[in-house]
Amino acid sequence: MKSRGVACSYAQIQDHGEAPESWYLALLGFAEHFRTSSPPKIRLCVHCLQAVFQFKPPQRVEARTHLQLGSVLYHHTKNTELARSHLEKAIPQFEDVKFEAASLLSELYCQQNLVDSAKPLLRKAIQISQQTPYWHCRLLFQLAQLHTLEKDLVSACDLLGVGAEYTRVVGSEYTRALFLLSKGMLLLMERKLGEVHPLLTLCGTIVENWQGNPIQKESLRVFFLVLQVTHYLDAGQVKSVKPCLKQLQQCIQTISTLHDDEILPSNPADLFHWLPKEHMCVLVYLVTVMHSMQAGYLEKAQKYTDKALMQLEKLKMLDSSPILSTFQVILLEHIIMCRLVTGHKATALQEISQVCQLCAQSPRLFTNHASQLHTLLGLYCLSVNCMDNAEAQFTAALRLTTHQELWAFIVTNLASVYIREGNRDQELYNLLERINPDHNFPVSSHCLRAAAFYIRGLLSFFQGRYNEAKRFLRETLKMSNAEDLNRLTACSLVLLGHIFYVLGNHRESNNMVVPAMQLASKIPDMSVQLWSSALLKDLNKACGNTIDAHEAAQMHQNFSQQLLQDHIAACSLPEHNLISWTDGPPPVGQFQAQNGPSTSLASLL
């Protein structure tokens, strides 16, 4: 909810049957004039409100003036102590003042890292606000959010459950759905899937049956569908999610055609909205990018990322909401992974630096994304063959995460580092035991389990155990085909093709490598294209197909040159020194230019 102007005091005083004095109206009018001036004249606004006390006003006027002063000082100045003093004076007063003052004061306490002062204040306000539906719901949401930020999801879920039951009793099905969907979101974060499914089913019924403001109804549907889509994507079910994602995209198109009605709901408990529709548009772009990235449609991911980032830049000019920076970081995280696959490492590195800068501006953002940032640096190190740095980055990322899927993703990539180094058998076997796809795999993600089979196949290939490698890779292919995981399919095909080539089965090798090359070109995956073209060159040469061998050799040369140029460009950037950062806050502005690349391209060429 936005901070309200001081002029609203007039209407609220009148509501309580008190005729405001002319001096009060004059001071209030001047204060609002100064607050809304361009630029705002906050000092003069504060002087006008402080002047109210000189007239020894009635208690209700005095209480509301303390609230208004606290609000203006909190939102427009850095004088938090004075804001706090005024809000604390407003708290013991009248109902129409105390709940708003408690809400604002708890925000201020949190800003000053006084969370233990904010919680009892909100709890007390919740206890005494049950006859005021709007404030009771708002304070419940606020305390639930506070617990969520502290990672106490159990307490947050309990509060949201209380809110859902309260809104059912007061007849607000719309806000009941908001409470239940918010609880569903937290249950997904906790991986309590047994509780999520019945709750989402109930939410779906409530949303479809609710008849009210069309924008509010569609925003509930967007919230519901976003939860469903992210649930599928967390489970690595890229194909199964498509119907839900299509519904979500249609829903956001519907919202964009609807006009915002200023008609206030008759039930005060319904005075909430989930997100502004502009934010919802960015969120739908974001989940579309997540889907495209997992499915291996990287050009589509690039297209939607560009649209979302352009929309975000426009929004951030007018809106300082922290969620916009979160959206921006998640979008960049996904597009960085795309760049590394498509052979644009230099651009990826610059975007990693951009994420560092965004995280440096917000401690909370950095806390939530530090592990992902080190993971991205680890993937970059892998792409430029800096194995020691890759290991250090993935180790740092593991230390910083409690997210199971991210943990499994990092371990899978760290295992690939150990396989490529070739002399880390004990560490490798310890890791592989923790992500054994045949036995007690630690997460429910279909995609990550398929990747674990691939890693096993890769290790067996390097150890010369080709039959075992084929079993693991066929399992990967079966799983990746079931959910359209194009990158895993391409990687498995080319590795199987390599195994058949080593075994002298050229026909079968060709049957694997040709579709691998076609799929890699469609993604596009530069490393798989490089690998496939090298195999095609050797295959055609062995089979006496001189023209085809020459054509494949030319393709291989072209891919090699592109990757080499990009490799040199990336390692020459001052941001390349980020690969040495493994602890503490992001080192923004501390980059030193290097003399040139110090890494080897042997693994690529």
Side-chain angles (χ1 to χ4, degrees):
M1 180 176 141
K2 295 177 183 175
S3 62
R4 295 187 290 176
V6 292
C8 65
S9 300
Y10 170 63
Q12 284 158 329
I13 297 297
Q14 276 199 321
D15 285 345
H16 292 273
E18 298 172 20
E21 300 280 353
S22 57
W23 56 264
Y24 178 64
L25 294 181
L27 286 171
L28 213 58
F30 277 125
E32 180 68 355
H33 167 73
F34 291 131
R35 190 188 72 85
T36 55
S37 297
S38 184
K41 298 173 181 175
I42 299 303
R43 185 185 295 254
L44 294 174
C45 172
V46 169
H47 284 330
C48 289
L49 290 172
Q50 286 172 330
V52 170
F53 300 126
Q54 303 300 318
F55 290 85
K56 296 189 170 40
Q59 279 189 310
R60 188 177 296 280
V61 171
E62 184 179 341
R64 180 145 289 280
T65 305
H66 278 302
L67 171 61
Q68 295 296 350
L69 271 165
S71 178
V72 169
L73 289 165
Y74 173 63
H75 287 112
H76 299 284
T77 75
K78 294 181 180 177
N79 196 340
T80 50
E81 286 306 314
L82 189 55
R84 177 176 165 177
S85 170
H86 281 293
L87 291 171
E88 285 172 344
K89 287 172 185 171
I91 288 284
Q93 304 296 329
F94 304 89
E95 274 194 6
D96 61 313
V97 172
K98 68 169 59 175
F99 301 136
E100 187 172 351
S103 176
L104 266 177
L105 187 56
S106 67
E107 274 185 44
L108 191 149
Y109 282 152
C110 290
Q111 194 181 75
Q112 295 180 317
N113 293 319
L114 299 171
V115 175
D116 289 337
S117 298
K119 286 182 197 169
L121 178 62
L122 287 171
R123 284 194 203 103
K124 185 177 179 183
I126 287 167
Q127 285 172 1
I128 60 175
S129 62
Q130 293 194 32
Q131 302 308 311
T132 315
Y134 168 74
W135 278 110
H136 190 64
C137 292
R138 178 167 166 176
L139 293 163
L140 281 166
F141 276 127
Q142 192 171 346
L143 185 54
Q145 183 182 31
L146 182 51
H147 281 300
T148 302
L149 292 173
E150 287 203 305
K151 312 289 185 194
D152 182 2
L153 302 187
V154 173
S155 297
C157 280
D158 287 345
L159 285 162
L160 293 169
V162 169
E165 178 57 23
Y166 174 80
T167 45
R168 185 189 68 78
V169 171
V170 299
S172 171
E173 288 295 281
Y174 167 76
T175 304
R176 182 186 176 206
L178 281 179
F179 274 113
L180 289 172
L181 288 166
S182 300
K183 184 177 178 180
M185 180 172 67
L186 298 189
L187 290 172
L188 280 173
M189 289 166 66
E190 285 192 283
R191 300 293 177 266
K192 292 186 176 177
L193 303 184
E195 294 178 51
V196 169
H197 295 141
L199 188 140
L200 285 182
T201 303
L202 172 61
C203 286
T205 305
I206 293 172
V207 171
E208 290 310 312
N209 292 340
W210 185 72
Q211 301 300 318
N213 181 307
I215 284 188
Q216 284 184 309
K217 184 179 176 76
E218 290 303 310
S219 73
L220 286 179
R221 290 191 71 222
V222 169
F223 195 171
F224 173 69
L225 288 166
V226 163
L227 292 186
Q228 285 203 310
V229 169
T230 50
H231 179 37
Y232 276 117
L233 292 178
D234 268 354
Q237 295 175 318
V238 173
K239 187 175 182 180
S240 305
V241 77
K242 285 181 179 177
C244 280
L245 184 59
K246 191 172 181 182
Q247 282 184 61
L248 177 59
Q249 290 163 341
Q250 289 169 343
C251 196
I252 202 68
Q253 285 179 343
T254 303
I255 284 185
S256 62
T257 63
L258 295 172
H259 295 290
D260 288 319
D261 294 324
E262 293 299 329
I263 303 167
L264 291 177
S266 55
N267 190 333
D270 285 346
L271 286 164
F272 295 94
H273 64 266
W274 175 48
L275 283 175
K277 66 180 180 182
E278 296 82 8
H279 292 198
M280 283 190 267
C281 287
V282 174
L283 182 57
V284 174
Y285 282 140
L286 174 55
V287 294
T288 304
V289 168
M290 291 166 70
H291 174 261
S292 301
M293 175 67 211
Q294 277 199 36
Y297 305 130
L298 302 193
E299 288 180 345
K300 186 177 178 184
Q302 173 71 64
K303 173 183 149 188
Y304 281 105
T305 299
D306 289 344
K307 285 185 174 183
L309 289 174
M310 198 179 302
Q311 180 90 345
L312 275 170
E313 285 306 313
K314 289 178 186 173
L315 289 172
K316 286 180 85 172
M317 289 177 189
L318 306 167
D319 187 345
S320 59
S321 174
I323 199 170
L324 296 179
S325 293
T326 301
F327 286 164
Q328 189 175 359
V329 166
I330 298 172
L331 280 163
L332 286 168
E333 286 169 355
H334 282 79
I335 202 59
I336 287 161
M337 289 189 282
C338 290
R339 307 264 197 225
L340 293 172
V341 172
T342 57
H344 298 96
K345 294 184 279 289
T347 307
L349 186 56
Q350 289 167 328
E351 287 166 338
I352 290 173
S353 174
Q354 196 179 339
V355 174
C356 284
Q357 288 164 18
L358 285 165
C359 287
Q361 294 164 16
S362 166
R364 181 170 288 147
L365 198 59
F366 177 60
T367 300
N368 291 337
H369 291 269
S371 182
Q372 292 91 317
L373 193 44
H374 284 294
T375 303
L376 292 170
L377 281 166
L379 294 173
Y380 168 75
C381 292
L382 261 177
S383 76
V384 292
N385 204 32
C386 295
M387 292 301 146
D388 288 346
N389 295 101
E391 181 184 352
Q393 291 296 338
F394 288 137
T395 303
L398 285 173
R399 188 179 71 244
L400 293 165
T401 190
T402 55
H403 188 280
Q404 286 182 301
E405 276 75 15
L406 180 57
W407 176 88
F409 179 78
I410 298 163
V411 168
T412 304
N413 281 285
L414 184 55
S416 77
V417 172
Y418 290 154
I419 290 170
R420 285 169 66 171
E421 286 186 316
N423 58 354
R424 306 294 295 277
D425 290 352
Q426 193 53 54
E427 294 102 320
L428 177 58
Y429 289 128
N430 290 341
L431 276 186
L432 292 178
E433 274 307 301
R434 299 166 79 184
I435 52 164
N436 186 344
D438 284 320
H439 181 67
N440 290 335
F441 192 64
V443 294
S444 59
S445 171
H446 182 93
C447 179
L448 287 170
R449 186 162 173 259
F453 275 118
Y454 175 79
I455 285 293
R456 294 260 170 168
L458 187 65
L459 176 62
S460 299
F461 166 73
F462 277 113
Q463 293 174 332
R465 301 204 304 269
Y466 298 127
N467 284 334
E468 185 180 84
K470 283 191 281 184
R471 180 184 84 78
F472 287 130
L473 293 170
R474 282 173 177 145
E475 202 61 45
T476 305
L477 274 178
K478 186 170 77 176
M479 292 186 73
S480 54
N481 283 333
E483 285 292 345
D484 290 348
L485 304 170
N486 289 332
R487 275 205 74 220
L488 270 176
T489 300
C491 290
S492 303
L493 284 171
V494 73
L495 184 49
L496 274 169
H498 203 135
I499 290 168
F500 284 120
Y501 175 75
V502 171
L503 293 173
N505 189 340
H506 295 163
R507 185 189 190 91
E508 198 60 36
S509 177
N510 194 67
N511 288 343
M512 300 289 137
V513 178
V514 170
M517 181 60 132
Q518 290 168 343
L519 197 49
S521 303
K522 182 181 169 187
I523 291 171
D525 185 323
M526 283 292 284
S527 295
V528 175
Q529 285 177 294
L530 183 73
W531 191 358
S532 300
S533 59
L535 265 174
L536 282 172
K537 177 188 70 174
D538 294 341
L539 266 173
N540 284 305
K541 192 175 178 181
C543 296
N545 302 328
T546 311
I547 295 173
D548 289 343
H550 178 74
E551 188 180 316
Q554 190 59 54
M555 274 198 299
H556 184 260
Q557 179 66 18
N558 291 341
F559 292 137
S560 298
Q561 284 301 314
Q562 286 178 51
L563 282 167
L564 179 60
Q565 287 167 11
D566 182 50
H567 181 101
I568 292 169
C571 294
S572 301
L573 288 169
E575 290 89 345
H576 181 73
N577 284 328
L578 274 171
I579 66 173
S580 303
W581 164 63
T582 56
D583 197 25
V588 179
Q590 298 174 25
F591 308 121
Q592 299 284 324
Q594 287 192 324
N595 294 327
S598 58
T599 53
S600 163
L601 263 185
S603 68
L604 292 174
L605 304 178

